[in-house]
Every structure is written in structure tokens, then in C-alpha cells.
Amino acid sequence: MTDKIKTTRRGFFKKAGAVTAGAVGTTALAMPYVKAQSPIRWRVQTYAGPALAEHVIQPQIEAFNKAANGEMEIELYTADQLVPQGELFRAVQQGTLDGAQSDDDSMASPVDVSVFGAYFPFASRYGLDVPVLWEWYGLKEIWEEAYDEIPGVKWLSAGAWDPCNFVTTRAINSLEDLRGLRVFTFPTGGRFLERFGVVPVTLPWEDIEVAIQTGELDGVAWCGATETYTVGWADITSHYLTNNISGAWAGSYFVNEDRWNELPEHLQTLYKLTIDSSHYYRQHWYWWGEAHYRTTGGKLELTTIPESEWQTVENEAMAFWDEVAETSDRNRRVVEILKNYAETMRAAGAPYRYS
């Protein structure tokens, strides 16, 4: 396009905009699409600290911003950067944030099913269990139902993260070694672990490293090997318990409902597609990392509680499930789904379940 044609078109639009309503009557001037000079701007906060966010959400945000082609731009904030983790849900609801990536549990979502976010004990064995439960066993519809009852926040999608293992400054070789262990963990996982003498501690993400170094914490029951090495906790701890209380963290994406509804359909679709891309990236990154760091990390000594003794923990988890099922009809339905899924996996045998 020549400069002359550009100038002519600019002049035309300028003159057209100056025409009074009386001059044009009730007929609106049909304008061709012009890319907005000021893009839609969103602020999204993740549960993850900076090093972890580089993997669990930053690639998604960068891909969205690039594909949005100037129409929209998302600013990403890491754990506690704008609001504390426990206030994340309210911040999205009130519009302080436009979106969030977190688990329902630690962000204090006021829905009954929030108890199943993060690490609901023994709900999964592998990362692939989470998307299967949501997409093929009905949890997606239950989550939509639950969040539809809460004004201001829309739940979009759930995905899998890493398993929940103990990473500590001392060896754990038996259930007795768990007694008095002070760990940073998630609310529901912490309540369950209290049954075995574990002391859950809640601190801001950025304080965890110092708390371990000063002895305020004995470690974490927050993640698997991948995160332990990625965020630097492997440098200040010494032992990794191979037994875990969950095979995958269940996290979700949330948005402010009004801000979401303001988006044109193609940007909504783009955002959901990049969320799926994020789910896929985490699926293979964590699966690679758990084996890689266990075998070649070199910083942590691996210990294992004998399977016969660990079975006590699994049995207690089933009692915990039944207690949660009694808290609401919706939670009962979720527990029924989890039991059905677990039985199906056991009946299918290897590679779904080996025991």
C-alpha cells in the first residue's frame, strides 16, 4: 500500500468520524475492522513461584500473547506477588485479578468440591488420571455445576501436575518417622497427614527456603522430584521419600466472569487452546522430570517405607474419603466417581495399576 493511499484512507475515516448524527441520520457508517490501538489487558496470577512458573504457565501466556496478535496482552504474576495465595479466589471474584492458575484448595475457593483440589489423598496414581477423571468420568460437569453457584468466577479447566512426596532434612524409613515432622503442604493433604503425626505449616511461598534452612520446617510435602530440583529445595534438603500420598496434583484455571464475557469468542477460544497446551506441556515435563531427577539428580537420598506398612496410609485414606463424602451430596458423587475409577483401574491391571 502506498503512502498516498494510506493518507487518503486516514483522511476518509477522520472526516467520517466528524460527520454529525444529523447529517448521517439514523444510518451508521459501516467501518472495516481496524486492529485496536490499545489491546485488552489482563492480569493473571499463578500459585507457582518464579522458577516453577517458567514451566507451569509462562509458555502458555507467551503463546497466547503472541497468537493474540496485539488484540490482547496478559501480564503474568507469580505466587503471592499481587495477592496472598489464600486470597486468590476473592481477588479474581472482585476483579483485582482477571484470572488465576491454582488449585481450589489452597486458594480458598468457597465451593464444597475444593477439598478435591491439589492433593486429595490417593485419588490418583499417575498424572494421566487427572484429565481422565475430569474429561471422561464426569468431574468436569461437577466442577462447572459447583462454580456456577458462585458469582463472579468462572472455572475453565483442570489439569495434572506432579505427585506429592516428602522432601525433608532427615530420613523417613517408617511411619513413626513422620511423627512431629513439620512440613509445608496443602490444606486438605495436611489435614490427612495429621493422622500420622505430621505437623502442617502454612507459609508464603518465598519464605519456604529460609524456613527449611533455619529449622522452622523439616521439609515439604508439596511436590515431587521435578519441582524439588527446579525451585532449589533439593539444595537445602537431604532425603526424598518415594512413597507418595497422591500421584498428581489437580490444578485449574479460573477467570473473572465479567471480564471473560467481555472477550470476543475467538480470544476465549485462543485462551482455552493455550490452556490445553499448558496441560500437555506439564504432562510430559513432570513425567520426564520425576524419573530423571530420581535417577540422576544426585542431591537427595531416596528412602522408602515398606509397602506393607504404607498400606496403613492407603487404608486410612479410604476412611478419609468416606468422611468427605458425608459433607455434601456433590462431594458424595465425587467420591463415588473416585471409587469407581480406582476399581476400574485395578480391574484393568497393568499398566493402569500393578497392584
Side-chain angles (χ1 to χ4, degrees):
M1 182 184 295
T2 67
D3 289 341
K4 182 178 180 180
I5 294 175
K6 288 182 180 178
T7 302
T8 301
R9 288 189 177 182
R10 279 196 293 267
F12 169 75
F13 290 136
K14 184 176 180 180
K15 291 177 182 178
V19 175
T20 64
V24 298
T26 58
T27 304
L29 180 64
M31 296 282 287
Y33 170 76
V34 179
K35 187 166 69 175
Q37 297 300 309
S38 299
I40 299 167
R41 295 192 181 278
W42 268 26
R43 301 196 300 178
V44 171
Q45 183 170 307
T46 176
Y47 77 97
L52 185 59
E54 289 183 12
H55 290 278
V56 301
I57 190 172
Q58 188 172 319
Q60 178 236 335
I61 299 300
E62 291 177 348
F64 178 89
N65 287 342
K66 183 177 181 179
N69 197 31
E71 291 183 63
M72 180 170 170
E73 185 172 338
I74 298 175
E75 298 173 355
L76 176 64
Y77 296 87
T78 55
D80 304 304
Q81 194 172 359
L82 290 183
V83 299
Q85 175 64 20
E87 299 175 15
L88 199 53
F89 181 91
R90 295 301 182 192
V92 174
Q93 188 177 47
Q94 294 166 1
T96 305
L97 293 167
D98 302 296
Q101 179 203 52
S102 179
D103 66 284
D104 320 67
D105 196 24
S106 68
M107 72 185 286
S109 290
V111 292
D112 46 8
V113 295
S114 66
V115 68
F116 301 103
Y119 293 121
F120 191 66
F122 297 97
S124 63
R125 292 293 179 94
Y126 311 111
L128 197 54
D129 290 337
V130 172
V132 171
L133 280 164
W134 259 263
E135 297 297 331
W136 296 97
Y137 276 74
L139 293 194
K140 176 181 178 181
E141 288 73 20
I142 290 177
W143 255 246
E144 290 173 341
E145 171 192 304
Y147 281 96
D148 281 348
E149 297 174 0
I150 306 297
V153 175
K154 182 175 180 61
W155 173 88
L156 291 183
S157 179
W161 272 251
D162 54 339
C164 182
N165 294 77
F166 284 90
V167 186
T168 58
T169 55
R170 63 175 190 253
I172 301 173
N173 295 293
S174 68
L175 291 184
E176 185 61 30
D177 292 333
L178 295 178
R179 295 198 173 277
L181 199 70
R182 295 163 299 175
V183 298
F184 173 61
T185 190
F186 291 88
T188 298
R191 289 201 305 275
F192 173 68
L193 291 172
E194 283 180 320
R195 300 179 180 214
F196 303 95
V198 173
V199 180
V201 179
T202 301
L203 290 171
W205 170 278
E206 65 269 19
D207 294 344
I208 304 308
E209 185 171 346
V210 173
I212 294 174
Q213 291 173 312
T214 60
E216 183 181 354
L217 288 176
D218 298 308
V220 300
W222 170 272
C223 58
T226 311
E227 286 192 20
T228 299
Y229 277 86
T230 299
V231 305
W233 291 339
D235 298 325
I236 54 173
T237 53
S238 57
H239 289 80
Y240 182 94
L241 182 65
T242 60
N243 312 80
N244 63 54
I245 67 163
S246 178
W249 188 77
S252 293
Y253 281 81
F254 306 85
V255 291
N256 176 276
E257 191 168 23
D258 289 339
R259 292 289 279 160
W260 177 256
N261 290 337
E262 290 169 2
L263 293 183
E265 186 177 6
H266 69 284
L267 289 179
Q268 290 182 350
T269 299
L270 178 60
Y271 193 61
K272 288 189 284 188
L273 285 172
T274 58
I275 287 174
D276 286 342
S277 176
S278 179
H279 289 334
Y280 173 65
Y281 178 90
R282 280 181 278 98
Q283 198 84 60
H284 61 73
W285 180 62
Y286 278 118
W287 189 252
W288 161 79
E290 295 308 301
H292 173 77
Y293 288 112
R294 280 198 193 192
T295 57
T296 66
K299 296 179 180 180
L300 300 173
E301 180 181 341
L302 306 184
T303 63
T304 302
I305 296 176
E307 195 63 35
S308 57
E309 189 176 358
W310 191 249
Q311 188 62 47
T312 303
V313 183
E314 293 201 36
N315 293 343
E316 188 62 28
M318 297 305 101
F320 186 75
W321 286 18
D322 290 337
E323 292 171 14
V324 170
E326 294 176 358
T327 60
S328 75
D329 177 68
R330 191 155 45 217
N331 284 354
R332 177 190 57 77
R333 287 153 53 199
V334 174
V335 169
E336 286 180 354
I337 288 172
L338 294 178
K339 287 183 175 181
N340 178 38
Y341 182 74
E343 181 56 36
T344 300
M345 296 299 103
R346 284 192 293 268
Y352 297 95
R353 295 291 185 270
Y354 287 90
S355 61

